[in-house]
Amino acid sequence: MTQEQEQKRNDEYNEYVEQVTPVHNLFANMSKAFILGGIICLLGQFITNIAMQEFGLDKDDAGMWCSMVLVLLSIILTSCNVYGRLANWGGAGALVPITGFANGVCASAVEFQKEGQVFGIGCQIFKIAGPVILYGIFSSWILGLIYWVCGMFGWIG
């Protein structure tokens, strides 16, 4: 292959890559994430308000019920393949911590259920959640150690 042919081939490939590479609109993506995340948080606030006003729960108990209902809704929507479509539309807005985490755990369980209860769901369910739990515990341990050292030297009261 001559150098001209190779250059032409590279140019054609670069044109192809430009054609198939999706163009993202940053403002539109941020707006969608803001809207979806806002709707999830608004739903959480609505659940909390209903629990406090209609059922007479205090703020802590209402928050607990809100968390449980949001996790349940996330699992139901993930199982029905709706949460994935919402995440495709809203991007990072679907990563509101409690619903995003429930989606990650449930999606792994749904994906590997064909492999059986033990080797499928049991072994693969924490594929996504495991690192989150690990790094959460590790970072809290490091921050606790820093807090303890700062307390030993009297830097914090």
Side-chain angles (χ1 to χ4, degrees):
M1 182 182 286
T2 67
Q3 216 171 22
E4 286 181 13
Q5 290 173 330
E6 188 174 333
Q7 182 63 35
K8 182 179 177 184
R9 183 173 174 227
N10 287 342
D11 291 341
E12 290 173 356
Y13 177 74
N14 288 335
E15 287 178 26
Y16 170 74
V17 168
E18 286 181 26
Q19 289 174 355
V20 297
T21 303
V23 178
H24 298 287
N25 183 338
L26 181 62
F27 181 75
N29 289 345
M30 290 188 328
S31 299
K32 290 176 186 178
F34 179 78
I35 290 168
L36 182 59
I39 289 172
I40 293 171
C41 293
L42 185 66
L43 178 63
Q45 188 63 53
F46 178 74
I47 293 167
T48 302
N49 289 350
I50 293 294
M52 289 173 64
Q53 293 171 359
E54 299 298 322
F55 298 107
L57 299 176
D58 64 8
K59 189 175 181 179
D60 290 337
D61 289 339
M64 178 188 64
W65 276 99
C66 172
S67 297
M68 289 190 302
V69 170
L70 285 176
V71 166
L72 177 65
L73 286 174
S74 177
I75 290 170
I76 291 170
L77 291 176
T78 300
S79 300
C80 296
N81 201 24
V82 173
Y83 200 93
R85 285 186 259 159
L86 288 173
N88 283 338
W89 181 82
L95 297 178
V96 174
I98 197 161
T99 57
F101 187 74
N103 171 58
V105 173
C106 183
S108 294
V110 169
E111 181 179 350
F112 292 102
Q113 73 182 357
K114 294 175 187 169
E115 296 178 22
Q117 294 291 324
V118 175
F119 292 112
I121 296 173
C123 292
Q124 301 294 336
I125 196 166
F126 292 112
K127 192 173 201 169
I128 294 174
V132 174
I133 294 168
L134 172 72
Y135 290 120
I137 291 171
F138 181 71
S139 62
S140 66
W141 184 82
I142 293 293
L143 290 174
L145 184 65
I146 292 169
Y147 182 78
W148 177 72
V149 168
C150 290
M152 292 286 291
F153 289 107
W155 296 333
I156 47 178

